[in-house]
Amino acid sequence: MTATAYDVAVGARAELGEGPTWDPARERLIWVDILSSRVHTYDPATGRRTVRTTGQHVGAAKPRAGGGLVLNLRDGVGLVDPGPEGAFRWLHRDPVPGRRGNDAAVAPDGSLWAGTMRYDEAPGGGTLTRFTGDGAAEPFLTDVTVSNGTGWSPDGRRMYYVDTPTRRIDVFDVPDGGRQPVNRRPLAQVEEGAGHPDGLTVDADGCVWVALWDGGAVRRYTPDGALDRVVTLPVPRPTACAFGGAGLSDLYVTTARTGLAAPHPLAGSLLVVPDAGSGLPQPAFAG
């Protein structure tokens, strides 16, 4: 099924909007503009918006269990304390010249799975690392190119992952405990000419929604890898998606304008597809 119904949640000119995440404790959406080093929040009930500037490129921002945010930055993972002027400190600082943080996700156990990539997108130059609340870093993948969408099935027994240039959504089995997923295999392959898989989210039915960079769409795949829904969008570079709103039924989509010679007027805006499905409550980082 193909659908085209969408609204503009936040009209913006983000260079590289990314990482939408619903914060249930504060009933707001969090998203970032990576290249402008900004963390945005949006309250759909009131329309209230905030913007916080970070000192360097920020790939993702997620809620913390005790309030505040965890940030996947150029030089590592940092923490922001609660409040408009919340203090910043490093949880794990590991600067690598030419590399930055990209997408990240919080696992059911509260750990942060943070991806990196090289600015020049050199093959194998990125990583995927698991961070615990005390800052311990456990490398998981050390040879990815553009580490992107990561998510878990409703029962926590599967992990989904995108390394964008592969054009695949991969799936791992997650044994009890969840620290070392195993048995990596393709769930779905995005065909040539349809764009590249970017950020993803998993809904309450266990289906995977993935934004297609240069594909102008978000796709939903069933747990067995079948394509069963396409949401077409007016912008060529949707980057990531997440369910939000009071009932977790609205699908929010971040977009980008970077690299476009003649950006669409909505490129860089935060879009929303009302009543798109049923999302899963997302855990907060346990740090």
Side-chain angles (χ1 to χ4, degrees):
M1 180 192 342
T2 300
T4 57
Y6 68 90
D7 293 327
V8 179
V10 176
R13 296 174 62 86
E15 284 298 307
L16 185 52
E18 262 286 4
T21 302
W22 183 251
D23 179 359
R26 301 192 65 181
E27 297 185 330
R28 64 180 184 173
L29 193 86
I30 304 166
W31 57 289
V32 302
D33 182 352
I34 295 176
L35 299 181
S36 295
S37 304
R38 291 174 180 160
V39 177
H40 296 258
T41 70
Y42 167 65
D43 181 339
T46 65
R48 183 174 184 269
R49 298 164 53 187
T50 69
V51 180
R52 180 186 178 112
T53 300
T54 58
Q56 52 185 250
H57 291 163
V58 53
K62 307 295 176 183
R64 296 167 58 195
L69 300 171
V70 58
L71 307 179
N72 192 24
L73 294 157
R74 183 193 66 201
D75 293 344
V77 174
L79 301 178
V80 176
D81 288 338
E85 305 298 327
F88 170 84
R89 65 185 183 277
W90 288 104
L91 178 72
H92 184 95
R93 190 170 185 269
D94 180 27
V96 175
R99 194 184 77 178
R100 67 168 174 84
N102 204 45
D103 205 357
V106 178
D109 67 357
S111 60
L112 180 75
W113 291 66
T116 67
M117 59 176 285
R118 289 192 57 83
Y119 282 96
D120 61 7
E121 300 186 18
T127 61
L128 180 65
T129 302
R130 177 181 183 267
F131 292 92
T132 60
D134 61 4
E138 301 176 357
F140 179 63
L141 299 175
T142 59
D143 60 350
V144 300
T145 301
V146 179
S147 187
N148 247 313
T150 307
W152 287 263
S153 60
D155 63 5
R157 302 303 298 267
R158 282 180 153 201
M159 185 179 89
Y160 300 99
Y161 179 69
V162 167
D163 180 2
T164 292
T166 67
R167 309 184 75 92
R168 297 193 314 266
I169 305 166
D170 287 344
V171 57
F172 296 80
D173 294 321
V174 182
D176 290 341
R179 295 180 60 172
Q180 287 293 323
V182 297
N183 191 25
R184 182 178 184 175
R185 59 204 183 274
L187 174 79
Q189 181 88 33
V190 177
E191 66 274 17
E192 189 75 31
H196 288 78
D198 201 324
L200 64 79
T201 193
V202 182
D203 67 20
D205 296 323
C207 296
V208 179
W209 298 71
V210 61
L212 297 182
W213 175 273
D214 282 339
V218 174
R219 288 183 174 185
R220 175 179 142 163
Y221 290 92
T222 65
D224 61 4
L227 174 62
D228 76 341
R229 186 172 178 187
V230 179
V231 178
T232 59
L233 298 168
V235 295
R237 292 185 167 173
T239 57
C241 53
F243 284 94
L248 293 179
S249 61
D250 300 330
L251 186 73
Y252 287 90
V253 183
T254 47
T255 68
R257 58 191 297 111
T258 185
L260 298 174
H264 186 279
L266 293 180
S269 294
L270 175 68
L271 306 180
V272 60
V273 183
D275 297 318
S278 181
L280 287 172
Q282 296 299 298
F285 177 56

